[in-house]
Amino acid sequence: MQETLVAGFRGNPEPTVFIVNVIHAHEGKQEEAFGLIQDVVHYVAERKEGFLWSNLSKSTDGKTVVNIEAIAGEGNVEEFFSDPVFLEKFRALDTVSTSEFHTYRVDDLVLPRRAASA
């Protein structure tokens, strides 16, 4: 039986690792860049156990796309990039953008004070 996963926030930080991809689209290529990273993320979501969730966003100025992706651990990055299909899909972004990604570990979760008093 497949477990249904639900996204949500918790009052304390979970030991989560995040990948943040910042994709700087070439002029007029934001939609294409979004579609390409969306394809990458869906590929990973369907095949990689280390994938937890992703949030894909487009800037309102039409210049960037951001992928904030939660993964089980730092080792998943190497696992993803060792997959030749993943690598081909990810490199397709180079045709419409420049991009960078960084790996982060949650150290603190800050919620509004008003939420604590409610």
Side-chain angles (χ1 to χ4, degrees):
M1 185 169 145
Q2 187 174 2
E3 178 184 356
T4 301
L5 300 175
V6 177
F9 290 98
R10 297 177 186 253
N12 296 311
E14 293 290 318
T16 305
V17 174
F18 291 95
I19 299 299
V20 178
N21 300 100
V22 179
I23 300 159
H24 303 274
H26 299 324
E27 187 70 33
K29 298 291 186 176
Q30 185 189 45
E31 288 298 325
E32 193 171 347
F34 184 86
L36 289 169
I37 193 64
Q38 188 177 42
D39 183 48
V40 171
V41 171
H42 282 267
Y43 176 82
V44 170
E46 294 168 6
R47 293 167 180 80
K48 306 295 182 184
E49 289 296 320
F51 175 87
L52 301 177
W53 56 263
S54 173
N55 180 324
L56 295 169
S57 303
K58 292 181 264 186
S59 66
T60 57
D61 63 9
K63 295 180 179 182
T64 61
V65 176
V66 175
N67 171 32
I68 302 172
E69 183 172 312
I71 59 176
E74 288 93 344
N76 296 121
V77 175
E78 186 177 322
E79 173 194 353
F80 298 169
F81 278 94
S82 68
D83 178 331
V85 174
F86 168 89
L87 196 54
E88 180 182 341
K89 289 176 176 292
F90 191 80
R91 285 183 176 158
L93 283 166
D94 294 341
T95 63
V96 296
S97 66
T98 59
S99 64
E100 60 181 292
F101 77 90
H102 301 277
T103 305
Y104 300 88
R105 179 175 294 284
V106 172
D107 288 320
D108 190 16
L109 175 64
V110 179
L111 298 172
R113 285 185 160 252
R114 64 187 176 278
S117 62

